[in-house]
Amino acid sequence: MKLTKIVPKFIEKHNPRIGLITLASDFRIEKDFNDIVYGKEIDLFCNRIQSYNPLTNETLKKMADDIPKVVKNILPDQKIDCIAYGCTSGTIAAGYAYIYEKVNSTKPNTKVTTPITSTINALKALRINKLSIFTPYTDEINQSVINYFKKENIEISGLTYFDIASDLDIGKVNPDYLFDVLSKIDLSNSDALFVSCTALPVLSIIKDLEKKMSKIVLSSNQTLIWDTFKQIDFKSKVEGYGELFNN
């Protein structure tokens, strides 16, 4: 038998790499990322982090302790350009600085974005100061969300919520019903509507909501994807997912 050894030729330059940390119980966020990333010169790599139900500030904060282990297993020993931490209320509970530190303990010099910090960036880009909020959360989590925005000098005009305590149940919300609920929120005293939680099926209905309500609509996954693209300096146009992507 003849053996032939051939020297491999490796790729010299790779696409920008996004690492997505998603809750173990999240049905939605990977779908939303894939819908927008598909067909673009971006490589997306996901890993799931253990989550705890019912959702409380304590359990959300506890979840972040596992970030180094989860990040380590996203292309071990390889460079990731940006890590997106896929939990809005979890970022508020743990704090962005803590999440950034945990990511970079495993992958140094890595950019980090989260749903809530990306939403603040989006509000600044759109010059929005008065906001209505919709969440699926319980009152405990809602108060944390409201306080976070207030500390960022965002005026909250109103809060509407489902009062769901389990992330698994949040992911089962019917998108048609959600559209009906959101479209009936009074935004007359608000510049925009923010729909919190990466598990809610919001991204696909944002364009129609904006058309019906004549207001800007933001969601956790939408702002997270938008900000991730900013972090990796991806400038190609994204259409069909809200006014935010025009900024």
Side-chain angles (χ1 to χ4, degrees):
M1 179 178 68
K2 181 181 179 181
L3 299 178
T4 304
K5 179 180 178 180
I6 299 175
V7 177
K9 183 177 182 180
F10 297 112
I11 297 170
E12 295 181 359
K13 184 179 180 182
H14 59 75
N15 291 335
R17 293 172 176 170
I18 297 170
L20 173 62
I21 301 175
T22 176
L23 274 62
S25 55
D26 194 322
F27 291 102
R28 177 58 49 179
I29 192 169
E30 287 162 312
K31 292 181 180 180
D32 286 350
F33 261 84
N34 282 319
D35 282 345
I36 295 185
V37 168
Y38 179 77
K40 297 176 175 61
E41 293 183 348
I42 297 172
D43 293 337
L44 176 66
F45 305 95
C46 304
N47 201 8
R48 290 186 168 245
I49 194 167
Q50 183 177 354
S51 53
Y52 306 90
N53 286 302
L55 298 174
T56 66
N57 286 323
E58 183 178 348
T59 58
L60 288 164
K61 184 176 180 180
K62 177 183 177 182
M63 181 173 63
D65 293 339
D66 290 332
I67 289 175
K69 178 177 65 177
V70 173
V71 171
K72 183 178 180 180
N73 288 320
I74 302 177
L75 294 188
D77 301 320
Q78 299 297 305
K79 172 67 177 174
I80 300 292
D81 297 294
C82 182
I83 293 288
Y85 183 62
C87 188
T88 316
S89 52
T91 303
I92 296 172
Y96 175 80
Y98 185 75
I99 291 169
Y100 181 91
E101 176 189 342
K102 290 295 183 181
V103 168
N104 279 269
S105 69
T106 302
K107 290 193 181 293
N109 303 312
T110 301
K111 296 177 180 179
V112 179
T113 185
T114 73
I116 195 66
T117 53
S118 66
T119 298
I120 296 301
N121 290 340
L123 294 173
K124 290 178 180 177
L126 294 165
R127 298 182 180 179
I128 290 171
N129 297 308
K130 295 180 67 176
L131 192 65
S132 285
I133 301 174
F134 180 89
T135 88
Y137 311 135
T138 60
D139 183 63
E140 176 189 355
I141 308 300
N142 285 334
Q143 294 308 312
S144 297
V145 173
I146 291 171
N147 289 335
Y148 188 94
F149 280 112
K150 285 184 176 179
K151 289 179 181 178
E152 294 291 335
N153 297 315
I154 302 298
E155 181 181 340
I156 306 303
S157 301
L159 172 74
T160 309
Y161 64 104
F162 279 147
D163 195 23
I164 300 175
S166 169
D167 200 58
L168 286 166
D169 290 332
I170 293 172
K172 297 173 184 176
V173 170
N174 184 298
D176 293 332
Y177 175 73
L178 183 61
F179 180 90
D180 185 55
V181 168
L182 296 177
S183 64
K184 292 176 180 177
I185 294 175
D186 181 7
L187 300 181
S188 58
N189 293 318
S190 302
D191 300 321
L193 171 67
F194 170 61
V195 186
S196 185
C197 192
T198 63
L200 277 178
V202 190
L203 184 68
S204 62
I205 62 175
I206 285 178
K207 181 180 178 181
D208 289 337
L209 279 171
E210 288 187 334
K211 183 177 181 180
K212 183 169 185 176
M213 304 174 82
S214 299
K215 294 278 187 174
I216 290 173
V217 178
L218 305 173
S219 79
S220 291
N221 288 348
Q222 178 212 40
T223 63
L224 183 62
I225 297 167
W226 171 82
D227 199 51
T228 301
F229 283 7
K230 295 282 186 184
Q231 299 289 342
I232 64 173
D233 199 31
F234 184 81
K235 297 178 180 178
S236 295
K237 192 171 181 60
V238 175
E239 295 181 346
Y241 296 98
E243 178 62 28
L244 175 61
F245 283 101
N246 292 326
N247 288 267

